[in-house]
């Protein structure tokens, strides 16, 4: 027994057996290449995938759609089909017609697009069946606003003039109108940021788990983009205007001006002027009191945290 094992090992170590194996591999490779280079004709079942379907249409029988296509091509291409399930795309913008609740694909209308999906060395002999029917349902489309759930704390001396909203700020929902009717908005998952000193640019995921399975959307997250700047506080003394004074009545009031504080970014600080604001007191709201309450009725968009530092204006009626 030991001698037999020794002889077998000796054969494999000999140069003769190595040369034999080399020629065997070469001969087998040549045979395979020869076979793969030959042209064969056969029929394959291709799965069909709809493309460019309108958002309002839902195909309900795509899994049943197949085309049996007879092809003439080389063994190399047949090897490709053996390794991966064959599939063809049908363009619903150009290759189908609509009748009632059915899309109809035909060879006469869709052959050109089918032929483009095969290589130059592949020849289509026949396609069966010559017609495919796709049943569809009609959906509604609704755009609803996205509500961000954010808690942003800026570092001392920093803030933003931007409004906190997402990009995009709305989401397209597709589904039965009876379900879309009750959806008023879509909220995001909560995002919390602290000690913010630089611009914010983050992706925020949306809460879509509560949506009915019949409602679809291709938007799963949105972008939160906020420009953050160094801020400074300013104070202005502004005149007061009293409105709705009855005709023939004279009103004297004190003080004639009130101080107003605000914050804005350093880049905008020197652009803020007194005429950008307007403060009034409404005589109709005095109700017999000897004081009026000042109200800010005009302010520029590039300021925040605006406060009137005096809340009462004393007045007297003079003849």
């Amino acid at each position: 027994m030991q001698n037999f094992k020794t002889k077998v090992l000796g054969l494999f170590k000999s140069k003769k057996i190595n040369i034999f194996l080399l020629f065997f591999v070469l001969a087998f490779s040549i045979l395979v290449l020869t076979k793969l280079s030959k042209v064969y004709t056969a029929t394959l079942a291709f799965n069909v995938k709809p493309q460019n379907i309108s958002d309002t249409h839902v195909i309900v029988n795509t899994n049943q759609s197949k085309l049996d296509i007879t092809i003439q091509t080389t063994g190399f291409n047949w090897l490709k089909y053996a390794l991966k399930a064959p599939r063809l795309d049908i363009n619903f913008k150009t290759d189908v017609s609509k009748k009632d609740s059915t899309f109809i694909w035909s060879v006469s209308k869709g052959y050109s697009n089918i032929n483009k999906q095969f290589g130059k060395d592949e020849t289509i002999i026949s396609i069966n069946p010559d017609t495919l029917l796709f049943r569809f349902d009609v959906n509604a489309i609704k755009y609803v606003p996205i509500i961000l759930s954010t808690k942003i704390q800026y570092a001392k001396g920093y803030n933003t003039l931007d409004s906190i909203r997402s990009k995009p700020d709305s989401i397209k929902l597709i589904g039965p109108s009876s379900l879309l009717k009750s959806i008023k908005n879509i909220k995001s998952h909560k995002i919390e940021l602290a000690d913010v000193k630089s611009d914010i640019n983050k992706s925020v995921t949306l809460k879509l788990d509560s949506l009915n399975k019949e409602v679809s959307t291709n938007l799963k997250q949105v972008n939160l983009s906020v420009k953050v700047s160094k801020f400074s506080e300013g104070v202005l003394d502004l005149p007061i205007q009293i409105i709705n004074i009855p005709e023939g009545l004279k009103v004297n009031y004190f003080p004639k001006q009130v101080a107003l504080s605000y914050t804005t970014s350093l880049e905008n600080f020197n652009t803020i002027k007194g005429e950008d604001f307007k403060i009034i007191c409404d005589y109709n709201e005095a109700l017999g009191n000897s004081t009026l309450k000042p109200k800010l009725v005009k302010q520029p968009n590039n300021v925040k945290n605006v406060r009137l530092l005096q809340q009462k204006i004393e007045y007297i009626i003079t003849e």
Side-chain angles (χ1 to χ4, degrees):
M1 186 67 179
Q2 187 66 33
N3 289 336
F4 176 77
K5 289 183 178 179
T6 303
K7 288 180 180 180
V8 170
L9 291 173
L11 283 173
F12 279 99
K13 290 180 179 179
S14 68
K15 292 183 179 180
K16 290 182 179 180
I17 194 67
N18 289 338
I19 294 172
F20 171 77
L21 289 173
L22 176 62
F23 277 101
F24 176 79
V25 171
L26 287 173
F28 181 78
S29 299
I30 293 171
L31 177 64
V32 170
L33 290 173
T34 302
K35 292 289 184 182
L36 292 177
S37 299
K38 289 183 178 181
V39 175
Y40 302 91
T41 301
T43 301
L44 272 180
F46 284 77
N47 293 319
V48 170
K49 184 176 182 182
Q51 297 286 342
N52 298 320
I53 304 173
S54 168
D55 287 338
T56 57
H57 295 128
V58 177
I59 307 300
V60 297
N61 65 327
T62 53
N63 293 334
Q64 304 170 12
S65 303
K66 291 180 182 291
L67 286 175
D68 293 325
I69 301 182
T70 302
I71 311 167
Q72 188 178 74
T73 188
T74 63
F76 288 105
N77 286 325
W78 287 115
L79 181 62
K80 172 186 67 177
Y81 291 125
L83 295 175
K84 185 178 180 180
R87 191 196 82 180
L88 289 172
D89 297 334
I90 288 182
N91 191 335
F92 271 56
K93 280 189 176 180
T94 58
D95 298 348
V96 300
S97 56
K98 186 171 69 170
K99 184 178 181 181
D100 299 327
S101 60
T102 305
F103 286 116
I104 303 170
W105 176 90
S106 62
V107 171
S108 59
K109 191 168 185 177
Y111 179 82
S112 176
N113 183 49
I114 293 294
N115 191 48
K116 289 177 183 177
Q117 298 177 58
F118 289 90
K120 293 181 179 179
D121 55 348
E122 296 175 290
T123 303
I124 298 175
I125 305 300
S126 64
I127 299 177
N128 289 297
D130 60 3
T131 303
L132 291 177
L133 303 179
F134 299 88
R135 291 184 294 107
F136 67 86
D137 284 337
V138 177
N139 274 332
I141 296 177
K142 182 179 181 180
Y143 288 86
V144 297
I146 294 170
I147 307 298
L148 287 175
S149 177
T150 60
K151 185 179 179 181
I152 302 175
Q153 295 180 338
Y154 298 96
K156 187 176 181 180
Y158 289 84
N159 211 314
T160 182
L161 293 172
D162 289 350
S163 56
I164 308 300
R165 57 184 179 182
S166 63
K167 294 181 182 179
D169 59 3
S170 63
I171 182 172
K172 180 171 74 172
L173 302 177
I174 305 168
S177 57
S178 58
L179 295 176
L180 298 184
K181 187 178 180 181
S182 61
I183 303 175
K184 305 302 180 185
N185 56 62
I186 295 293
K187 295 181 179 179
S188 75
H189 286 95
K190 191 170 185 179
I191 180 169
E192 295 188 22
L193 301 172
D195 198 36
V196 175
K197 297 180 181 179
S198 57
D199 293 349
I200 302 170
N201 193 354
K202 289 185 175 292
S203 294
V204 185
T205 56
L206 302 176
K207 290 183 176 180
L208 302 175
D209 295 341
S210 61
L211 289 178
N212 189 288
K213 291 183 179 179
E214 295 184 51
V215 177
S216 63
T217 179
N218 59 358
L219 190 65
K220 295 183 179 180
Q221 62 182 27
V222 293
N223 190 58
L224 172 62
S225 181
V226 181
K227 183 180 179 181
V228 178
S229 305
K230 183 77 172 174
F231 266 53
S232 183
E233 183 178 36
V235 177
L236 292 172
D237 289 323
L238 301 175
I240 301 168
Q241 178 184 353
I242 299 180
I243 63 173
N244 294 324
I245 298 175
E247 188 176 351
L249 197 67
K250 291 184 179 181
V251 174
N252 192 16
Y253 59 93
F254 181 83
K256 305 293 186 186
Q257 293 183 326
V258 294
L260 174 144
S261 69
Y262 63 90
T263 59
T264 189
S265 63
L266 291 180
E267 60 189 34
N268 287 315
F269 190 83
N270 291 329
T271 66
I272 306 300
K273 307 297 181 185
E275 52 266 30
D276 297 330
F277 301 86
K278 184 177 181 180
I279 301 173
I280 66 166
C281 289
D282 190 344
Y283 184 84
N284 288 339
E285 296 178 359
L287 299 176
N289 295 327
S290 60
T291 60
L292 297 168
K293 185 174 182 179
K295 291 182 180 179
L296 178 68
V297 294
K298 176 188 172 184
Q299 70 177 65
N301 294 326
N302 55 353
V303 295
K304 299 190 76 168
N305 306 319
V306 180
R307 291 186 304 117
L308 293 176
L309 302 183
Q310 187 162 343
Q311 299 300 316
K312 290 183 179 181
I313 303 297
E314 296 180 358
Y315 75 95
I316 58 172
I317 299 173
T318 59
E319 296 296 333

